[in-house]
Amino acid sequence: MAFVEEKYAVVVNSHSTYHDVLEIFLATFHEYCPHLKLYIFTDYLDTKLFRNWENIIIYKGKTFRDQYLFSLKQIEEDIILTLNDDYFITSPPKSVSVSYLVEKLKQSNYSQIRLHRGPNFGRKIDGKNLYHLDVNSSFFYSQTATLWKTKDLIKLYEGTAPSGIARKGNEQQFEVLANETAKELRLE
């Protein structure tokens, strides 16, 4: 399938134990976003699940951090939209709005534009409902729907110790550690 030239790609992290959920994500993504380039990070190439146009990256590493970092380094695009495999697309994206945000990100010192409001927001940046995130407050980094400069996300993962996201045993949690790394890197 030929892709319309976009200025970003979509990245979804998954694991074979969640491929039942990923199947629903893919069905909705194929319906509403067939023009977007999609990367899927996973541990297993399920030939019954994946079609020929997804870019499947079989990750390496023992921890979430190592697996995601390995996969990120395979990405060609400068800007990516990070999603989770349990995000189900319910309508076509507002392409004009997303394009505006991609351009805003490219032309700024910002590392990310998060696509939802959370507990960490400050002054309004412009008339498009953009708010500044405070790197010194909690939840600067969140494993959620976010437009990222790929190089900055790689720096964040490289600077964060090997860690996980599933709260298994006494495993350190990536999101918590990544917030400290973001402060050290002075990400915006």
Side-chain angles (χ1 to χ4, degrees), residues 14-60:
S14 192
H15 185 272
S16 56
T17 57
Y18 294 96
H19 281 184
D20 56 341
V21 175
L22 182 63
E23 184 174 7
I24 300 167
F25 169 86
L26 288 172
T28 62
F29 190 89
H30 290 305
E31 181 175 350
Y32 294 114
C33 307
H35 62 288
L36 295 176
K37 187 172 183 179
L38 176 63
Y39 290 92
I40 298 173
F41 303 168
T42 188
D43 64 316
Y44 172 69
L45 180 60
D46 185 342
T47 57
K48 292 180 183 173
L49 175 62
F50 301 123
R51 299 180 187 175
N52 291 328
W53 64 271
E54 300 103 345
N55 298 280
I56 310 301
I57 298 175
I58 305 300
Y59 48 67
K60 296 179 183 175

Side-chain angles (χ1 to χ4, degrees), residues 9-155:
V10 178
V11 167
V12 175
N13 186 62
S14 192
H15 185 272
S16 56
T17 57
Y18 294 96
H19 281 184
D20 56 341
V21 175
L22 182 63
E23 184 174 7
I24 300 167
F25 169 86
L26 288 172
T28 62
F29 190 89
H30 290 305
E31 181 175 350
Y32 294 114
C33 307
H35 62 288
L36 295 176
K37 187 172 183 179
L38 176 63
Y39 290 92
I40 298 173
F41 303 168
T42 188
D43 64 316
Y44 172 69
L45 180 60
D46 185 342
T47 57
K48 292 180 183 173
L49 175 62
F50 301 123
R51 299 180 187 175
N52 291 328
W53 64 271
E54 300 103 345
N55 298 280
I56 310 301
I57 298 175
I58 305 300
Y59 48 67
K60 296 179 183 175
K62 294 184 191 252
T63 68
F64 164 76
R65 177 268 189 180
D66 295 339
Q67 295 162 354
Y68 205 90
L69 179 58
F70 171 86
S71 301
L72 275 177
K73 289 182 175 183
Q74 314 306 310
I75 302 295
E76 301 172 356
E77 288 73 18
D78 295 332
I79 304 289
I80 56 173
L81 170 59
T82 59
L83 300 177
N84 293 320
D85 54 8
D86 59 355
Y87 288 12
F88 306 143
I89 314 299
T90 59
S91 64
K94 296 179 181 176
S95 297
V96 171
S97 296
V98 177
S99 292
Y100 168 81
L101 295 173
V102 167
E103 286 306 311
K104 183 85 171 170
L105 184 59
K106 281 184 172 183
Q107 297 171 11
S108 72
N109 291 326
Y110 301 126
S111 297
Q112 64 170 312
I113 295 179
R114 190 174 306 160
L115 299 184
H116 65 86
R117 195 171 180 174
N120 178 350
F121 68 94
R123 64 180 165 75
K124 198 168 190 175
I125 294 173
D126 67 10
K128 296 287 185 183
N129 290 326
L130 294 177
Y131 296 85
H132 185 265
L133 294 176
D134 182 358
V135 73
N136 294 307
S137 296
S138 299
F139 309 111
F140 178 82
Y141 173 82
S142 180
Q143 182 73 20
T144 188
T146 305
L147 285 166
W148 274 96
K149 288 180 180 172
T150 307
K151 65 179 177 56
D152 288 345
L153 190 55
I154 288 172
K155 286 180 194 173

